[in-house]
Amino acid sequence: MDDHADLSFQAGLRGTLQDCNWESQPKASSTLPVPLSEMKSSVLTVKRPFSTSRSSVDPKEIKKFQLLAQKWWDEEGEYSALHSMNDIRVPFIRDTLLNMSSNYHLGSPLSGVKILDVGCGGGLLSEPLGRLGASVTGIDPLEDNIRTADQHKSFDPVLSQRIQYKSSSLEEIVEESMETFDVIVACEVVEHVADLEMFIKCCSQVLKPEGSLFITTINKTQLSYVLGIVVAEKILGIVPEGTHEWEKFVPPEDLGRLLESNGFSVKTVNGMLYNPLWGSWSWTESTSINYAMHAVKSGAQGHSSPTDAPSETESEEHSATAGTAV
């Protein structure tokens, strides 16, 4: 790139950042949504009923993220955007579940709900769900991540009772956990697994009928490559270079078809945007970069329609209060 082109590119990037209006609903073309992921994967051995050479594990992903296992709770470090993502993903999970249930426990709205956090990393999502009253099992194939998560929850006696962590892949717990969980959360995970179909099949196995599956991940578009890899990793350095592989990104249409072919009904798909200047996330209609999906396992009767999930306006309101809510 010659000097003139380089200056033009930098000026364009600065203009894009300066033109952001974060008081109103953000648009995909006016911000830099940056996908980040929670160091997750699936693992080493496959047990029956999936005793096959296929596995959702990608050993390269484990090696890639092992060096960062001690940095999960550094809110200014490599995982800062995942900390701020809780401001929208936690209320999204909470409110969707409450809209589907007539039970409500003041102060502990998710009391009695059994949640599996797949690829829990250091527990960034497990802990706020535990504070909402849920019984959470967090699994991750990387033992260093589990040690970090266990150590952090030990500072809170309430969380120590509500959360348990296991160094395990999803495949490894299938036999012992058949139709055990009311909810599965897989946030920033599916773009790192080696066998997505196996991963979804295992989710179905351990989820109760009518149970909910929440996924956040990255779309596979030209925009996600430019902003999620070139800008986020190579130019701004918001995440370590090499964190993502564009080939593993999953379009929502493909993920939806895969879920439906494995007994799920997709209820909601919401776009997500990250503002690197403010370090905050917001909901958007566009799913061209990041998106959140809610699906329900077959057997559900009389559940709410997709419109019962928080609207974008409601979600933004929840985002502003999520710090006190959880």
Side-chain angles (χ1 to χ4, degrees):
M1 180 182 295
D2 60 30
D3 292 342
H4 178 74
D6 183 60
L7 290 173
S8 298
F9 174 81
Q10 294 180 30
L13 179 60
R14 286 195 298 270
T16 300
L17 293 172
Q18 292 168 354
D19 288 342
C20 293
N21 179 5
W22 301 104
E23 299 299 323
S24 59
Q25 179 65 35
K27 297 180 181 179
S29 60
S30 65
T31 186
L32 285 175
V34 178
L36 286 125
S37 86
E38 273 190 12
M39 313 306 234
K40 314 169 173 184
S41 50
S42 298
V43 277
L44 313 180
T45 324
V46 182
K47 291 187 178 181
R48 291 177 301 170
F50 301 111
S51 57
T52 166
S53 58
R54 294 170 59 203
S55 170
S56 65
V57 156
D58 188 338
K60 292 188 301 182
E61 297 290 343
I62 295 179
K63 293 180 181 178
K64 183 191 300 182
F65 297 127
Q66 191 162 16
L67 295 177
L68 298 174
Q70 306 301 320
K71 300 184 178 181
W72 283 102
W73 292 97
D74 179 3
E75 296 186 17
E76 304 299 324
E78 285 85 347
Y79 296 122
S80 60
L82 291 177
H83 283 272
S84 63
M85 188 187 286
N86 279 350
D87 290 347
I88 65 172
R89 63 179 174 178
V90 174
F92 175 64
I93 294 168
R94 177 197 64 197
D95 296 344
T96 300
L97 295 176
L98 291 179
N99 282 332
M100 296 171 63
S101 173
S102 58
N103 297 322
Y104 181 82
H105 303 269
L106 188 62
S108 295
L110 299 185
S111 178
V113 178
K114 295 186 66 175
I115 297 179
L116 177 66
D117 184 1
V118 181
C120 62
L124 300 193
L125 182 56
S126 294
E127 288 201 7
L129 293 175
R131 291 190 187 96
L132 289 172
S135 173
V136 183
T137 298
I139 62 171
D140 196 287
L142 192 57
E143 291 184 6
D144 288 347
N145 286 345
I146 295 302
R147 279 193 287 269
T148 297
D150 266 327
Q151 182 181 25
H152 196 270
K153 79 162 185 179
S154 69
F155 297 116
D156 188 328
V158 173
L159 292 182
S160 293
Q161 293 180 351
R162 293 179 181 173
I163 302 174
Q164 63 171 330
Y165 293 114
K166 297 180 180 179
S167 179
S168 170
S169 69
L170 181 58
E171 295 95 286
E172 288 178 318
I173 70 163
V174 166
E175 286 188 338
E176 66 187 61
S177 305
M178 293 288 286
E179 297 191 345
T180 295
F181 297 98
D182 303 298
V183 177
I184 295 176
V185 294
C187 290
E188 310 308 295
V189 176
V190 301
E191 69 270 24
H192 295 291
V193 301
D195 189 331
L196 184 55
E197 183 172 8
M198 161 130 352
F199 183 86
I200 297 300
K201 286 180 183 296
C202 289
C203 286
S204 179
Q205 289 285 329
V206 301
L207 193 61
K208 293 177 182 178
E210 305 183 6
S212 285
L213 172 62
F214 293 91
I215 293 174
T216 65
T217 189
I218 313 169
N219 199 347
K220 189 177 183 180
T221 62
Q222 291 182 339
L223 192 57
S224 72
Y225 177 78
V226 172
L227 296 181
I229 295 180
V230 176
V231 174
E233 296 186 15
K234 301 179 184 297
I235 297 177
L236 299 182
I238 295 174
V239 291
E241 189 168 349
T243 295
H244 296 110
E245 297 177 32
W246 185 79
E247 293 76 12
K248 285 189 172 183
F249 291 176
V250 187
E253 299 81 7
D254 292 354
L255 182 57
R257 282 192 291 268
L258 186 57
L259 287 166
E260 290 175 358
S261 67
N262 283 280
F264 287 92
S265 174
V266 175
K267 298 298 183 182
T268 311
V269 182
N270 289 337
M272 304 166 66
L273 292 176
Y274 180 66
N275 175 0
L277 294 180
W278 291 71
S280 62
W281 291 83
S282 9
W283 296 111
T284 179
E285 293 181 0
S286 173
T287 60
S288 59
I289 311 293
N290 295 74
Y291 63 94
M293 183 176 289
H294 170 232
V296 174
K297 183 178 174 179
S298 61
Q301 299 292 330
H303 276 338
S304 304
S305 69
T307 57
D308 286 325
S311 67
E312 292 171 8
T313 301
E314 291 170 336
S315 297
E316 290 177 349
E317 290 173 353
H318 287 311
S319 298
T321 61
T324 56
V326 301

mmCIF file of all heavy atoms in Angstrom, residues 10 16 52 87 114 134 156 168 187 197-198 202 213 223 242 309 316 324-325:
data_model
loop_
_atom_site.group_PDB
_atom_site.id
_atom_site.type_symbol
_atom_site.label_atom_id
_atom_site.label_comp_id
_atom_site.label_asym_id
_atom_site.label_seq_id
_atom_site.Cartn_x
_atom_site.Cartn_y
_atom_site.Cartn_z
ATOM 1 N N GLN A 10 -6.384 5.369 6.828
ATOM 2 C CA GLN A 10 -6.426 5.804 8.224
ATOM 3 C C GLN A 10 -7.465 6.893 8.419
ATOM 4 O O GLN A 10 -8.181 6.906 9.428
ATOM 5 C CB GLN A 10 -5.052 6.294 8.657
ATOM 6 C CG GLN A 10 -3.981 5.198 8.699
ATOM 7 C CD GLN A 10 -2.643 5.737 9.142
ATOM 8 O OE1 GLN A 10 -2.581 6.693 9.903
ATOM 9 N NE2 GLN A 10 -1.580 5.136 8.652
ATOM 10 N N THR A 16 -14.909 6.856 10.409
ATOM 11 C CA THR A 16 -15.904 5.857 10.811
ATOM 12 C C THR A 16 -16.135 5.894 12.311
ATOM 13 O O THR A 16 -17.256 5.853 12.800
ATOM 14 C CB THR A 16 -15.435 4.454 10.401
ATOM 15 O OG1 THR A 16 -15.280 4.419 8.998
ATOM 16 C CG2 THR A 16 -16.458 3.393 10.808
ATOM 17 N N THR A 52 -16.888 -42.275 18.219
ATOM 18 C CA THR A 52 -16.454 -42.197 16.840
ATOM 19 C C THR A 52 -15.189 -41.373 16.804
ATOM 20 O O THR A 52 -14.842 -40.719 17.769
ATOM 21 C CB THR A 52 -17.544 -41.536 15.954
ATOM 22 O OG1 THR A 52 -16.959 -41.182 14.714
ATOM 23 C CG2 THR A 52 -18.086 -40.293 16.606
ATOM 24 N N ASP A 87 -23.298 -7.164 29.822
ATOM 25 C CA ASP A 87 -24.330 -6.138 29.967
ATOM 26 C C ASP A 87 -25.530 -6.379 29.056
ATOM 27 O O ASP A 87 -26.624 -5.888 29.336
ATOM 28 C CB ASP A 87 -23.750 -4.749 29.678
ATOM 29 C CG ASP A 87 -22.795 -4.280 30.758
ATOM 30 O OD1 ASP A 87 -22.768 -4.897 31.840
ATOM 31 O OD2 ASP A 87 -22.065 -3.297 30.526
ATOM 32 N N LYS A 114 -31.446 -25.077 36.022
ATOM 33 C CA LYS A 114 -30.144 -25.738 35.879
ATOM 34 C C LYS A 114 -29.533 -25.353 34.537
ATOM 35 O O LYS A 114 -30.075 -25.669 33.479
ATOM 36 C CB LYS A 114 -30.289 -27.259 35.975
ATOM 37 C CG LYS A 114 -30.755 -27.749 37.336
ATOM 38 C CD LYS A 114 -30.746 -29.278 37.409
ATOM 39 C CE LYS A 114 -29.328 -29.815 37.323
ATOM 40 N NZ LYS A 114 -29.276 -31.292 37.518
ATOM 41 N N ALA A 134 -29.466 -19.161 39.512
ATOM 42 C CA ALA A 134 -29.383 -20.420 38.770
ATOM 43 C C ALA A 134 -28.351 -21.356 39.383
ATOM 44 O O ALA A 134 -27.390 -20.927 40.020
ATOM 45 C CB ALA A 134 -29.029 -20.145 37.306
ATOM 46 N N ASP A 156 -16.638 -15.893 46.887
ATOM 47 C CA ASP A 156 -18.051 -15.630 47.165
ATOM 48 C C ASP A 156 -18.716 -16.928 47.629
ATOM 49 O O ASP A 156 -18.927 -17.840 46.825
ATOM 50 C CB ASP A 156 -18.735 -15.109 45.897
ATOM 51 C CG ASP A 156 -20.160 -14.634 46.146
ATOM 52 O OD1 ASP A 156 -20.831 -15.201 47.025
ATOM 53 O OD2 ASP A 156 -20.610 -13.705 45.446
ATOM 54 N N SER A 168 -13.750 -30.569 31.253
ATOM 55 C CA SER A 168 -14.392 -31.601 30.428
ATOM 56 C C SER A 168 -14.873 -30.984 29.132
ATOM 57 O O SER A 168 -15.123 -29.782 29.044
ATOM 58 C CB SER A 168 -15.582 -32.192 31.191
ATOM 59 O OG SER A 168 -16.354 -33.027 30.357
ATOM 60 N N CYS A 187 -21.568 -19.327 24.554
ATOM 61 C CA CYS A 187 -21.253 -17.980 24.096
ATOM 62 C C CYS A 187 -19.826 -17.892 23.578
ATOM 63 O O CYS A 187 -18.881 -18.206 24.308
ATOM 64 C CB CYS A 187 -21.474 -16.982 25.225
ATOM 65 S SG CYS A 187 -23.214 -16.761 25.644
ATOM 66 N N GLU A 197 -21.655 -29.946 13.923
ATOM 67 C CA GLU A 197 -22.822 -30.823 13.975
ATOM 68 C C GLU A 197 -22.783 -31.719 15.211
ATOM 69 O O GLU A 197 -23.788 -31.902 15.894
ATOM 70 C CB GLU A 197 -22.916 -31.679 12.715
ATOM 71 C CG GLU A 197 -24.171 -32.556 12.694
ATOM 72 C CD GLU A 197 -24.370 -33.261 11.370
ATOM 73 O OE1 GLU A 197 -23.466 -33.203 10.517
ATOM 74 O OE2 GLU A 197 -25.445 -33.873 11.192
ATOM 75 N N MET A 198 -21.607 -32.280 15.515
ATOM 76 C CA MET A 198 -21.493 -33.083 16.727
ATOM 77 C C MET A 198 -21.786 -32.247 17.964
ATOM 78 O O MET A 198 -22.427 -32.712 18.900
ATOM 79 C CB MET A 198 -20.099 -33.709 16.830
ATOM 80 C CG MET A 198 -19.783 -34.134 18.217
ATOM 81 S SD MET A 198 -19.158 -35.769 18.529
ATOM 82 C CE MET A 198 -19.202 -36.735 17.112
ATOM 83 N N CYS A 202 -24.733 -33.036 20.718
ATOM 84 C CA CYS A 202 -24.463 -33.207 22.151
ATOM 85 C C CYS A 202 -25.304 -32.239 22.984
ATOM 86 O O CYS A 202 -25.784 -32.609 24.067
ATOM 87 C CB CYS A 202 -22.985 -33.010 22.429
ATOM 88 S SG CYS A 202 -21.918 -34.330 21.822
ATOM 89 N N LEU A 213 -31.530 -23.225 24.396
ATOM 90 C CA LEU A 213 -30.129 -23.129 24.009
ATOM 91 C C LEU A 213 -29.845 -21.702 23.557
ATOM 92 O O LEU A 213 -30.534 -21.180 22.674
ATOM 93 C CB LEU A 213 -29.825 -24.108 22.875
ATOM 94 C CG LEU A 213 -28.448 -24.011 22.202
ATOM 95 C CD1 LEU A 213 -27.323 -24.280 23.204
ATOM 96 C CD2 LEU A 213 -28.357 -24.967 21.015
ATOM 97 N N LEU A 223 -17.762 -8.362 5.831
ATOM 98 C CA LEU A 223 -17.631 -7.354 6.870
ATOM 99 C C LEU A 223 -17.037 -7.944 8.142
ATOM 100 O O LEU A 223 -16.220 -7.302 8.817
ATOM 101 C CB LEU A 223 -19.002 -6.733 7.170
ATOM 102 C CG LEU A 223 -19.013 -5.464 8.024
ATOM 103 C CD1 LEU A 223 -18.166 -4.372 7.394
ATOM 104 C CD2 LEU A 223 -20.444 -4.990 8.233
ATOM 105 N N GLY A 242 -4.647 -13.800 15.424
ATOM 106 C CA GLY A 242 -4.801 -15.240 15.309
ATOM 107 C C GLY A 242 -5.921 -15.820 16.147
ATOM 108 O O GLY A 242 -6.167 -17.026 16.121
ATOM 109 N N ALA A 309 -39.003 -12.366 23.266
ATOM 110 C CA ALA A 309 -37.653 -12.001 23.699
ATOM 111 C C ALA A 309 -37.573 -10.488 23.776
ATOM 112 O O ALA A 309 -38.362 -9.781 23.154
ATOM 113 C CB ALA A 309 -36.615 -12.532 22.717
ATOM 114 N N GLU A 316 -31.653 -2.523 25.283
ATOM 115 C CA GLU A 316 -30.749 -1.424 25.558
ATOM 116 C C GLU A 316 -30.987 -0.873 26.955
ATOM 117 O O GLU A 316 -30.071 -0.493 27.677
ATOM 118 C CB GLU A 316 -30.917 -0.327 24.510
ATOM 119 C CG GLU A 316 -30.395 -0.725 23.157
ATOM 120 C CD GLU A 316 -30.608 0.320 22.094
ATOM 121 O OE1 GLU A 316 -31.362 1.279 22.356
ATOM 122 O OE2 GLU A 316 -30.048 0.194 21.020
ATOM 123 N N THR A 324 -26.391 -3.405 37.948
ATOM 124 C CA THR A 324 -27.067 -3.540 39.223
ATOM 125 C C THR A 324 -27.962 -4.754 39.253
ATOM 126 O O THR A 324 -28.231 -5.319 40.295
ATOM 127 C CB THR A 324 -27.901 -2.280 39.530
ATOM 128 O OG1 THR A 324 -28.808 -2.054 38.436
ATOM 129 C CG2 THR A 324 -27.007 -1.073 39.676
ATOM 130 N N ALA A 325 -28.428 -5.173 38.055
ATOM 131 C CA ALA A 325 -29.361 -6.307 38.008
ATOM 132 C C ALA A 325 -28.681 -7.607 38.379
ATOM 133 O O ALA A 325 -29.277 -8.503 38.936
ATOM 134 C CB ALA A 325 -29.990 -6.415 36.621
#
